[in-house]
Amino acid sequence: MAENLMDKIVSLSKRRGFIFQSSEVYGGLSNTWDYGPFGVELKNNLKTAWWKANVYQRDDILGMDAAILMHPDVWRASGHVDNFFDLKSDCKTCKKRFKTADLKNADKCPECGGELTESRPFNLMFKTYQGPVEDAGNIVYLRPETAQGMFVNFINILDARHPKLPFGLAQIGKAFRNEITPGNFTFRTREFEQMEIEYFVRPQEGDKKLEEWIETHFNWYVNLGIKKENLRKRPHGKEELAHYAKACTDIEYNFPFGWSELEGIANRTDFDLKQHARQSGKDFQYFDDAAKQRFYPYIIEPSGGVDRSVLAFLVDAYHEEKVPPRTNFEKNEAILPIGAGVKNDTRVVLKLHRDLAPTKVAVLPLLRNRPEIVELAQKIARELKKNMVAVYDDTGSIGKLYRRQDEVGTLYCVTVDVQSMEDKQVTVRERDSMQQERISVDKLKEYLLQKLNN
Ligand code: ATP
């Protein structure tokens, strides 16, 4: 049943234009995905919601956008050159590669029973060369996390903005890891986007701030519509902690393939600032004016994945619903049966939060062979587009159009019908309740803006 749900999400993503296999016409590049017209809107809306909550609505966080390519010494200082390894084993027969941890002490290939090579370390960083000469002196890495771009700018930020502790830096951007076992659609890929905060605190405040960030970010997912029962907090055991972390808790989502990490929130201590001070010879300490003291702040890091969150929001929003027959409506020719557009009394609907829904409003003509209806609907759509993401669609019967909009999570459908020509009113149908209201064309924009913003 759960696997079936994953298949449905993958299929809907392709069919409706959320997520496509990368380079599909060439057979596809495995585990690499492209976001289509609805996918890019959903992803941008998610990033905007995150930026609003973490940067605009707070007084203590500043935004940043660092380059993907960085000086290779960054990765020496951070420990990634020496420590960012997974152990892997290869099958000598079928050549498949496995994470040693996933083999659980098996000594034969789980796929074909072939002999396995000894377990060997495998660095997950992608390497390339800067400039035309491919020699060791020109090696650069594609960043495996956005975090280091914020650590190495710590001094610049202090000089430019003079923030007082506690304060944070926030960044959203691409990261790359040469994962041994990518999979589960967009859950684990080699190219992905992260949303990270580096929150600088006095060392003695670290434990408290870690707890605060776990709560704040747990609630962020819930406030954006993820069902609470599908989220959990999982503190790391000591043996699981990364080399730089004192404590870490994952926020996990109950994906169809099991509970898995959406975001990790760690106390990185003063490890990173001290490492960069050592490697660069620069002073990464914070000067406390009041106490006249210099010290290395601790860093609390909430680090989430854009792609994993998009997937979780898609899974959580996916509903197949039995639709009740029309019973409670007064006879009104302009109002469609409540189950209109629904085959066999079931509909697929993405109940995405209004801030995440890729399209807010669709304007649909009830009869597409009536020029005056089409003209009014197009005019309404043009007007709404000035203030919200609105589309006009007349490429099917009204039933088909409703079904299509439900499947991509459009919040409101505005239908223009014959009666609209006389009474200058249109029918507005709300996605989740399917309730319909007649609204005058003059008041429509105001009505929708109020629904979208309140
Ligand atoms: P995992 O244990 O799943 O490999 P991680 O603990 O290595 O993840 P972090 O280093 O904490 O991940 O990265 C922070 C966030 O970046 C993760 O919570 C996840 O949302 C995202 N992320 C990390 N690796 C990937 C990946 N390969 N594909 C997609 N998102 C990823």
Side-chain angles (χ1 to χ4, degrees):
M1 168 97 176
E3 273 176 26
N4 193 6
L5 172 59
M6 209 51 211
D7 290 343
K8 286 176 178 175
I9 298 287
V10 175
S11 145
L12 181 131
S13 293
K14 171 161 186 189
R15 193 174 67 252
R16 290 295 181 216
F18 280 89
I19 302 172
F20 306 120
Q21 165 86 72
S22 159
S23 322
E24 195 179 357
V25 292
Y26 290 104
L29 179 64
S30 60
N31 301 297
T32 313
W33 304 96
D34 297 338
Y35 287 81
F38 289 117
V40 67
E41 295 299 333
L42 172 56
K43 191 151 83 129
N44 283 343
N45 289 345
L46 182 91
K47 291 192 276 186
T48 303
W50 187 91
W51 199 263
K52 264 191 196 161
N54 291 295
V55 182
Y56 296 151
Q57 290 171 359
R58 298 181 64 114
D59 299 322
D60 55 351
I61 304 225
L62 301 163
M64 271 212 50
D65 184 24
I68 289 172
L69 300 178
M70 302 179 75
H71 194 291
D73 278 354
V74 169
W75 307 111
R76 290 189 190 104
S78 67
H80 282 84
V81 171
D82 292 331
N83 292 313
F84 199 49
F85 288 98
D86 269 344
L87 291 174
K88 55 126 186 149
S89 303
D90 297 311
C91 172
K92 290 184 182 170
T93 313
C94 72
K95 311 290 178 213
K96 271 216 147 170
R97 180 161 283 179
F98 302 94
K99 251 187 184 171
T100 306
D102 294 341
L103 290 170
K104 303 204 168 62
N105 296 326
D107 56 359
K108 291 277 180 286
C109 170
E111 299 272 318
C112 76
E115 200 187 331
L116 293 167
T117 61
E118 277 200 9
S119 161
R120 279 185 296 233
F122 177 75
N123 195 304
L124 301 181
M125 278 199 295
F126 276 95
K127 255 187 218 170
T128 187
Y129 298 94
Q130 178 156 263
V133 185
E134 294 193 4
D135 72 18
N138 293 329
I139 287 179
V140 287
Y141 300 96
L142 302 190
R143 66 181 178 198
E145 60 179 25
T146 70
Q148 300 299 328
M150 294 184 269
F151 302 146
V152 298
N153 275 294
F154 181 68
I155 301 172
N156 286 336
I157 295 287
L158 288 182
D159 289 348
R161 300 295 304 267
H162 309 288
K164 297 279 172 264
L165 291 182
F167 74 91
L169 297 174
Q171 173 164 236
I172 300 177
K174 290 266 184 178
F176 302 82
R177 295 181 189 180
N178 203 358
E179 298 276 2
I180 297 169
T181 48
N184 283 329
F185 197 27
T186 53
F187 178 81
R188 186 180 303 285
T189 51
R190 296 191 169 110
E191 170 182 348
F192 54 95
E193 247 178 310
Q194 290 186 311
M195 314 180 275
E196 295 198 298
I197 292 169
E198 306 306 329
Y199 197 71
F200 302 92
V201 301
R202 288 167 205 284
Q204 61 275 21
E205 285 181 326
D207 295 343
K208 183 167 147 261
K209 292 294 175 193
L210 178 67
E211 292 312 312
E212 280 177 22
W213 275 110
I214 295 167
E215 271 322 293
T216 306
H217 272 200
F218 186 93
N219 291 335
W220 181 75
Y221 294 102
V222 175
N223 292 339
L224 266 186
I226 296 230
K227 291 175 212 75
K228 214 170 181 171
E229 63 269 25
N230 286 336
L231 285 171
R232 72 177 186 194
K233 302 166 198 161
R234 192 184 66 79
H236 282 204
K238 283 269 173 282
E239 68 299 339
E240 221 188 322
L241 288 174
H243 62 276
Y244 49 76
K246 178 182 171 218
C248 182
T249 289
D250 287 345
I251 297 177
E252 296 188 334
Y253 180 72
N254 190 10
F255 283 100
F257 44 84
W259 286 96
S260 308
E261 175 180 339
L262 268 187
E263 170 164 354
I265 306 176
N267 181 345
R268 292 183 78 126
T269 69
D270 53 9
F271 176 86
D272 301 278
L273 294 183
K274 278 188 171 158
Q275 284 296 103
H276 288 301
R278 223 168 269 149
Q279 185 86 29
S280 68
K282 303 280 185 326
D283 183 5
F284 275 75
Q285 293 183 93
Y286 173 85
F287 181 67
D288 184 336
D289 275 334
K292 301 278 177 261
Q293 264 182 345
R294 300 187 85 74
F295 62 93
Y296 289 99
Y298 269 27
I299 295 172
I300 308 303
E301 175 192 70
S303 170
V306 175
D307 312 81
R308 283 187 190 181
S309 293
V310 165
L311 184 57
F313 280 103
L314 277 175
V315 169
D316 220 70
Y318 184 92
H319 286 78
E320 284 175 16
E321 284 186 346
K322 285 259 170 278
V323 175
R326 181 189 187 196
T327 45
N328 298 333
F329 283 96
E330 290 167 33
K331 185 138 179 62
N332 176 349
E333 293 307 328
I335 299 229
L336 292 164
I338 195 160
V342 176
K343 232 187 206 163
N344 306 327
D345 291 337
T346 344
R347 66 169 184 155
V348 170
V349 54
L350 277 190
K351 295 191 173 180
L352 289 165
H353 187 279
R354 64 179 183 190
D355 293 349
L356 297 183
T359 310
K360 308 304 179 198
V361 183
V363 187
L364 318 168
L366 186 62
L367 303 168
R368 55 184 159 149
N369 55 2
R370 294 281 290 268
E372 71 283 17
I373 293 183
V374 167
E375 205 175 294
L376 177 60
Q378 287 176 335
K379 189 171 159 224
I380 290 173
R382 267 197 310 276
E383 197 44 45
L384 294 178
K385 275 171 190 276
K386 294 177 189 164
N387 299 77
M388 62 197 76
V389 181
V391 295
Y392 168 81
D393 191 4
D394 66 3
T395 55
S397 65
I398 191 70
K400 266 213 181 99
L401 297 179
Y402 272 5
R403 202 169 73 223
R404 206 181 281 162
Q405 296 301 333
D406 283 346
E407 270 197 311
V408 298
T410 302
L411 295 165
Y412 294 95
C413 286
V414 171
T415 306
V416 181
D417 52 36
V418 180
Q419 206 177 309
S420 307
M421 297 299 114
E422 289 153 29
D423 63 7
K424 300 283 174 269
Q425 291 187 340
V426 287
T427 302
V428 180
R429 169 196 187 258
E430 196 269 336
R431 180 194 66 197
D432 297 352
S433 65
M434 293 194 287
Q435 293 296 348
Q436 304 177 56
E437 264 189 84
R438 290 291 281 179
I439 304 289
S440 121
V441 175
D442 295 351
K443 300 266 159 56
L444 181 66
K445 189 191 274 188
E446 198 185 322
Y447 170 89
L448 289 169
L449 279 175
Q450 211 212 356
K451 295 272 183 194
L452 295 174
N453 296 321
N454 272 335

